[in-house]
Amino acid sequence: MMARKTGAKFTFVLETYVMDVSIDPSWKGYLQAEFEKPYFKQLAGFVKDEYKRHTCYPLGKNIFAAFDHCPFQETKVVIIGQDPYHGPNQANGLCFSVKDGIPHPPSLVNIFKEITVDIGAAYPKSGNLERWAAQGVLLLNATLTVRAHQAGSHQKKGWETFTDAVIRTVSEQLDGVVFLLWGGFAKRKASLIDGTKHHILTSGHPSPLSANRGLWFGNQHFSKTNALLNTMGKENILW
């Protein structure tokens, strides 16, 4: 693995990927050590082979988009997803987010519905959540890649080791971050977070299965997050 400065970004060249991954330079000191560990080199080889032999998402250049769009020191909120959308043209490297112009998947629809009720915001036209990331929301999937039409196909290959390390690093190095843990999978990540220095909000998952059972709607996580940020003297997120 090599690294080089390119303009405002720090580009990590993962030889086994045969691709350049552009990441905001603020993450360099925290991620580079993980990139160099044996498990990550094995993971990189697996991902390279999967992208060569199958259609996979997101595009290679977007695999680390969560880190590129949200600088480390500006991280105020962390939302944890499971793995990327596995349908054509959906995943853009941010959890729950889709590209501009793409119909909103059911979980994202329910997220936006809760926002409209919770804070009175209009239902957005675009499901691209880069606008959240730019405000300090780290939209982190536990698994950063997936084979087309096969949910969970890249789980337990090493991504979870990497993203768990990211969560621990955010917990250890920053203060007053609001973690939004939706659903059983995300809730299990609470053990990686220091609850004495951060805020953890939990609820059911926004998927229809969970939402229709009354486990999502009414959680008010978006207004609660802003209230917590305000108590710490931080700016609201414009959801």
Side-chain angles (χ1 to χ4, degrees):
M1 194 276 294
M2 296 183 297
R4 64 173 182 266
K5 189 74 173 179
T6 57
K9 301 296 181 184
F10 201 93
T11 300
F12 295 90
V13 185
L14 308 180
E15 286 87 350
T16 47
Y17 272 82
V18 194
M19 65 177 69
D20 287 2
V21 179
S22 181
I23 302 174
D24 188 89
S26 62
W27 288 93
K28 174 182 177 292
Y30 303 104
L31 299 186
Q32 190 164 8
E34 290 299 314
F35 287 152
E36 294 172 350
K37 291 181 179 179
Y39 86 85
F40 195 90
K41 294 179 180 179
Q42 293 178 356
L43 169 63
F46 166 78
V47 171
K48 175 192 173 183
D49 187 62
E50 283 287 293
Y51 273 69
K52 181 179 179 180
R53 297 174 56 189
H54 306 281
T55 298
C56 296
Y57 302 118
L59 294 175
K61 66 180 182 180
N62 292 330
I63 292 174
F64 293 92
F67 308 101
D68 196 29
H69 290 285
C70 180
F72 181 79
Q73 297 295 342
E74 296 178 19
T75 301
K76 299 188 293 187
V77 180
V78 177
I79 299 177
I80 300 173
Q82 194 155 354
D83 59 0
Y85 295 121
H86 52 82
N89 299 314
Q90 290 183 308
N92 68 351
L94 308 177
C95 72
F96 296 107
S97 176
V98 293
K99 299 177 182 178
D100 291 319
I102 299 299
H104 303 170
S107 291
L108 186 57
V109 169
N110 287 337
I111 289 171
F112 286 157
K113 284 182 177 179
E114 176 61 21
I115 289 172
T116 62
V117 174
D118 184 19
I119 63 174
Y123 189 99
K125 292 182 179 180
S126 175
N128 190 335
L129 302 182
E130 289 178 5
R131 61 186 182 274
W132 291 6
Q135 299 175 74
V137 182
L138 180 63
L139 295 159
L140 182 66
N141 276 316
T143 302
L144 299 188
T145 58
V146 69
R147 191 185 297 182
H149 311 299
Q150 296 186 37
S153 51
H154 288 184
Q155 293 177 6
K156 299 181 180 179
K157 302 296 183 180
W159 278 130
E160 295 90 342
T161 301
F162 173 73
T163 53
D164 281 359
V166 170
I167 295 168
R168 280 194 296 266
T169 297
V170 170
S171 176
E172 292 169 1
Q173 300 296 326
L174 299 177
D175 293 302
V177 175
V178 182
F179 289 83
L180 303 183
L181 308 183
W182 300 336
F185 178 87
K187 290 176 184 177
R188 289 193 288 274
K189 303 298 182 181
S191 63
L192 306 172
I193 304 163
D194 183 350
T196 66
K197 58 186 291 197
H198 301 289
H199 303 277
I200 302 173
L201 301 181
T202 64
S203 80
H205 196 274
S207 67
L209 179 63
S210 178
N212 293 339
R213 293 166 53 200
L215 302 176
W216 166 256
F217 291 116
N219 65 24
Q220 299 181 321
H221 275 193
F222 306 97
S223 61
K224 289 178 180 178
T225 294
N226 280 345
L228 289 168
L229 293 175
N230 288 341
T231 64
M232 295 181 284
K234 302 179 182 180
E235 292 187 11
N236 285 353
I237 303 298
L238 299 178
W239 301 107

